[in-house]
């Protein structure tokens, strides 16, 4: 009798999901350049890029600081993570190409208040390393399997990197904590949803250019909303 | 659930042992294996630099493709043991297997007085024990 009772006990609800942390998102185009960067729980800020190292309109948070102050060009959308503005009192408007071309005060810019980056690298170097790792791993996986096989993810003791590649050559890369299951479907959802809506179908975004990224306020807000609203974000 | 192959890489990044077990991956020339091993050695080093959180990160431990995965054990001496398996293999089995391979390596290769460290492994005892372990 006891055994029958035990078998009829139904386990209600699913097992509690351990919360997974998403650290950051990078998007690269087919020219191997980073066109978008977004981060969430990254505990140490990335160091701002040296001038000219990254394209404008990738992410306000990692643009090189500009000493020139011009309040009339205040961007309507100011990222809350744009800590660079507090150092020099400047907001660099997104897509404002001219602001970046004032070169000389840049090199004497005061050190960023955000402290040491977790990788110890400037952002543009880090971005290139990420791309290089992904590119090499993709080739390796293709070579080893002999078929046209996709590299999906890799895990280290501290993080896990997921890759989703589209047919047009755009690569969506996400870093999360190592316990996470494959986030490829999330990256695919970002592509199918916010990316197609606010980047591909946006006539103002010059997609295949080699000079601009694809950062715009709608895309950034909707990606943010999508990730924060998903079930695994703590 | 299959083991496709095993590679052993010395601390300089050179391939010292390579063996295929089950079929499933492409047959490559020994030169191609050498190049891939060197690439993996470099990638392993870079991945430990890219951590988004402060503190130490190991290098890549598992690299997943669609039909296989690459498992890496980095020992304290800098030698890497790379096991290529099917994606369904559970991580615990693979960890245990990699540790056993490491202990076979320590017994049959390191304790062999005629073996030069960091040089390619040519040891029948090693091959036989691996065959018994993996099949």
């Amino acid at each position: 009798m006891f055994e029958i009772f035990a078998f009829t006990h139904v386990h209600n609800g699913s097992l509690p999901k351990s919360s997974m942390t998403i650290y950051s998102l990078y998007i690269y185009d087919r020219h191997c350049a980073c066109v978008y960067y977004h981060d969430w729980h990254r505990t140490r800020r990335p160091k701002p890029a040296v001038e000219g190292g990254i394209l404008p309109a990738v992410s306000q948070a990692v643009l090189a600081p500009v000493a020139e102050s011009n309040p009339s060009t205040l961007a309507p959308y100011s990222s809350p993570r744009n800590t660079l503005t507090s150092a020099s009192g400047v907001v660099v408007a997104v897509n404002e190409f001219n602001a970046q071309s004032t070169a000389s005060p840049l090199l004497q810019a005061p050190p960023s208040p955000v402290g040491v980056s977790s990788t110890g690298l400037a952002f543009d170097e880090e971005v290139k390393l990420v791309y290089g790792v992904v590119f090499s791993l993709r080739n390796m996986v293709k070579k080893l399997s002999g078929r046209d096989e996709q590299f999906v993810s890799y895990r280290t003791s501290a993080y896990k990197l997921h890759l989703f590649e589209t047919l047009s050559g755009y690569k969506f890369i996400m870093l999360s904590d190592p316990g996470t299951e494959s986030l490829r479907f999330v990256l695919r959802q970002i592509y199918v949803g916010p990316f197609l809506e606010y980047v591909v179908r946006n006539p103002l975004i010059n997609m295949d250019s080699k000079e601009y990224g694809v950062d715009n306020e709608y895309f950034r807000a909707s990606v943010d909303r999508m990730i924060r609203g998903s079930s695994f974000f703590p | 659930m299959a083991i496709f192959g095993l590679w052993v890489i010395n601390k300089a990044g050179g391939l010292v042992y390579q063996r295929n077990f089950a079929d499933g991956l492409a047959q490559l020339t020994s030169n191609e294996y050498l190049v891939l091993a060197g690439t993996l050695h470099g990638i392993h080093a870079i991945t430990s630099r890219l951590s988004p959180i402060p503190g130490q990160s190991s290098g890549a431990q598992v690299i997943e493709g669609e039909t296989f995965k690459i498992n890496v054990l980095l020992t304290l001496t800098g030698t890497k043991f790379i096991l290529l398996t099917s994606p369904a293999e559970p991580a615990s089995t693979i960890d245990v297997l990699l540790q056993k391979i490491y202990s076979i390596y320590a017994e049959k290769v390191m304790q062999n007085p005629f073996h030069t460290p960091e040089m390619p492994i040519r040891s029948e005892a090693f091959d036989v024990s691996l065959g018994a372990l993996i099949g």
Side-chain angles (χ1 to χ4, degrees), chain A residues 13-26:
Chain A
S14 53
L15 292 167
K17 226 180 255 194
S18 60
S19 72
M20 312 180 207
T21 325
I22 309 280
Y23 295 122
S24 49
L25 167 73
Y26 300 77

Side-chain angles (χ1 to χ4, degrees), chain A residues 21-24 26 159-161 173-177, chain B residues 50 52:
Chain A
T21 325
I22 309 280
Y23 295 122
S24 49
Y26 300 77
Y159 69 97
K160 190 167 183 185
L161 180 143
I173 292 172
M174 184 167 273
L175 271 67
S176 69
D177 74 289
Chain B
L50 291 178

Side-chain angles (χ1 to χ4, degrees), chain B residues 73-115:
Chain B
L73 171 68
L74 174 69
T75 68
L76 290 167
T77 53
T79 313
K80 288 195 220 359
F81 292 86
I82 316 282
L83 201 63
L84 298 136
T85 67
S86 58
E89 290 273 355
S92 49
T93 327
I94 294 177
D95 286 339
V96 165
L97 196 55
L98 276 168
Q99 288 297 334
K100 284 196 186 141
I101 292 173
Y102 185 31
S103 72
I104 292 177
Y105 169 83
E107 284 166 25
K108 303 288 191 296
V109 178
M110 285 289 108
Q111 289 174 8
N112 178 354
F114 300 111
H115 174 256

Side-chain angles (χ1 to χ4, degrees), chain A:
Chain A
M1 276 302 264
F2 246 54
E3 290 98 20
I4 299 169
F5 184 77
F7 277 123
T8 54
H9 171 73
V10 174
H11 190 86
N12 261 342
S14 53
L15 292 167
K17 226 180 255 194
S18 60
S19 72
M20 312 180 207
T21 325
I22 309 280
Y23 295 122
S24 49
L25 167 73
Y26 300 77
I27 301 181
Y28 294 87
D29 66 3
R30 66 191 181 102
H31 300 297
C32 314
C34 182
V35 292
Y36 185 76
Y37 170 73
H38 197 138
D39 64 42
W40 290 273
H41 280 308
R42 190 160 175 178
T43 45
R44 283 204 196 165
R45 311 296 315 123
K47 264 205 260 183
V50 299
E51 189 232 355
I54 58 167
L55 307 173
V58 169
S59 167
Q60 273 198 300
V62 296
L63 280 177
V66 177
E68 193 69 30
S69 168
N70 197 349
S72 60
T73 60
L74 194 74
Y77 173 67
S78 177
S79 162
R81 279 176 287 277
N82 192 359
T83 52
L84 292 173
T85 57
S86 56
S88 50
V90 167
V91 173
V92 178
V94 176
N95 291 333
E96 179 67 53
F97 209 126
N98 296 330
Q100 279 214 309
S101 55
T102 54
S104 49
L106 187 67
L107 298 172
Q108 287 94 28
S112 160
V114 296
V116 184
S117 84
S118 63
T119 54
L121 297 167
F123 180 73
D124 59 331
E125 290 171 16
E126 178 189 310
V127 144
K128 286 180 204 158
L129 269 186
V130 169
Y131 186 78
V133 163
V134 164
F135 182 77
S136 307
L137 277 177
R138 255 185 40 193
N139 286 1
M140 207 167 139
V141 163
K142 272 200 176 103
K143 195 86 191 266
L144 271 175
S145 72
R147 303 172 278 269
D148 194 19
E149 179 158 330
Q150 280 294 336
F151 146 66
V152 173
S153 69
Y154 75 78
R155 173 177 70 76
T156 76
S157 62
Y159 69 97
K160 190 167 183 185
L161 180 143
H162 312 258
L163 167 72
F164 171 68
E165 189 175 351
T166 72
L167 287 169
S168 47
Y170 278 84
K171 296 166 199 60
F172 290 71
I173 292 172
M174 184 167 273
L175 271 67
S176 69
D177 74 289
T180 320
E181 293 297 319
S182 174
L183 286 182
R184 225 165 160 213
F185 77 98
V186 173
L187 289 171
R188 188 164 189 280
Q189 279 182 333
I190 293 178
Y191 171 62
V192 166
F195 191 77
L196 284 184
E197 265 306 310
Y198 297 118
V199 178
V200 178
R201 295 189 188 137
N202 184 343
L204 296 174
I205 296 286
N206 195 354
M207 271 195 81
D208 214 24
S209 84
K210 299 193 187 156
E211 290 147 27
Y212 280 96
V214 300
D215 191 9
N216 66 62
E217 51 183 282
Y218 291 105
F219 183 48
R220 188 163 285 272
S222 72
V223 165
D224 206 38
R225 214 180 318 124
M226 172 176 275
I227 297 291
R228 285 184 195 277
S230 57
S231 53
F232 46 77
F233 197 78

